Amino acid sequence: MRLLLTNDDGILAHGLACLAKAAEPLGETTIVAPDREQSATSHSLTLHHPLRPVRRPDGAFQVDGTPTDCVMLAIEALLPERPDFVLSGVNHGQNMGEDVLYSGTVAAAMEGLNLGVPSIAISFAGGDLRTNPLLIDAQVDVLTDVLRHLTSLRHFPKHTLLNVNLPPIPGDAIKGIRLTRLGRRAYRDSLQPMTDPWGRQIYWIGGGTIDWSGSEDSDFRAVQEGYISVTPLHLDLTHRDMLAASETWWQEL
């Protein structure tokens, strides 16, 4: 099995090293990742300057672009054969609820899906809890088992990526895996007004607090209760219920 590994935290990120270690027993792995952190870049492409992939001594490729760039380059230019799976992560922080709209980690998996390759995004849901990211080390063996199961599914869902969130606890404390839906999250006080050294008004996006909500089968509840969350996502954003109920809100011109 051929596996393409990438992330949005940069090629030197600890989470990517853990993903490589977890994926190694499953087949041939190749890393193509950004040369720096690209968090919250979503599904952006680099259009205004050329990309320069550089082969590192360890065989990995570092790219001066986004996670989406990395997957496109890997599949269409760098790899001698198409991978069987794209694995993106392990992200340093959760990607649950609306996070998936901003996440470079999830976007890289989306690009793999868009190019016809089954894809899995993996995140460590400890970012907002200030949890020690070294806990990811204690989950490598668990992650290997999860990835082995997901990549060997007889019927991997078509037109779908799997979004995995690992709870911020030791590996031997994980209770199991739950199939989940996206929860909802709202940030408060995340826009910080400041002044620069010249007294001009500036704003910094980040920090604040997060309020989670959702049903019992939502991703954040699974993680909160010590389970690995696996959420199937697809690229079709059509609100099908609204199409079916168009007589309640749509008026012909």
Side-chain angles (χ1 to χ4, degrees):
M1 181 163 54
R2 296 179 297 275
L3 303 170
L4 168 61
L5 277 54
T6 191
N7 71 349
D8 74 352
D9 287 315
I11 198 162
L12 299 180
H14 183 69
L16 180 59
C18 289
L19 176 61
K21 187 175 179 180
E24 187 177 16
L26 306 181
E28 177 186 338
T29 62
T30 304
I31 294 175
V32 183
D35 62 358
R36 69 201 73 181
E37 183 173 347
Q38 295 282 348
S39 297
T41 54
S42 188
H43 209 149
S44 59
L45 286 169
T46 300
L47 300 179
H48 302 294
H49 66 76
L51 297 170
R52 296 177 176 85
V54 176
R55 194 75 180 261
R56 297 167 55 87
D58 60 5
F61 291 90
Q62 67 180 44
V63 179
D64 57 339
T66 68
T68 303
D69 294 331
C70 291
V71 174
M72 179 181 289
L73 272 175
I75 294 175
E76 299 196 343
L78 300 179
L79 299 185
E81 298 180 83
R82 289 174 65 83
D84 297 299
F85 284 90
V86 171
L87 306 180
S88 180
V90 175
N91 188 64
H92 296 176
Q94 78 280 336
N95 275 309
M96 304 184 294
E98 287 87 344
D99 292 330
V100 302
L101 300 176
Y102 302 95
S103 168
T105 298
V106 175
M110 285 184 176
E111 184 62 18
L113 176 62
N114 192 44
L115 294 173
V117 180
S119 300
I120 303 168
I122 308 103
S123 302
F124 177 73
D128 61 324
L129 301 177
R130 305 294 188 266
T131 305
N132 184 355
L134 294 180
L135 276 176
I136 306 173
D137 289 302
Q139 297 191 12
V140 167
D141 291 342
V142 174
L143 182 55
T144 297
D145 291 339
V146 171
L147 293 175
R148 180 179 287 113
H149 175 71
L150 297 181
T151 57
S152 63
L153 290 172
R154 290 182 59 192
H155 303 289
F156 194 94
K158 293 182 178 181
H159 313 299
T160 304
L161 69 92
L162 298 180
N163 184 43
V164 177
N165 279 276
L166 305 170
I169 57 179
D172 58 5
I174 294 175
K175 297 178 180 178
I177 303 175
R178 286 182 181 172
L179 279 177
T180 60
R181 65 176 66 241
L182 292 177
R184 298 296 306 273
R185 70 104 176 89
Y187 282 103
R188 290 185 289 110
D189 303 321
S190 60
L191 190 65
Q192 307 297 324
M194 302 178 183
T195 55
D196 68 13
W198 296 272
R200 296 174 298 196
Q201 184 73 62
I202 58 175
Y203 296 89
W204 193 294
I205 298 175
T209 58
I210 304 175
D211 294 322
W212 290 99
S213 63
S215 58
E216 290 295 328
D217 61 348
S218 59
D219 48 12
F220 88 95
R221 285 187 180 272
V223 167
Q224 190 178 62
E225 295 172 11
Y227 290 84
I228 296 172
S229 166
V230 178
T231 308
L233 304 177
H234 65 147
L235 303 182
D236 184 356
L237 299 180
T238 306
H239 196 326
R240 298 185 184 280
D241 289 344
M242 287 298 98
L243 279 180
S246 60
E247 69 279 359
T248 65
W249 61 276
W250 178 254
Q251 294 179 348
E252 298 293 337
L253 293 175

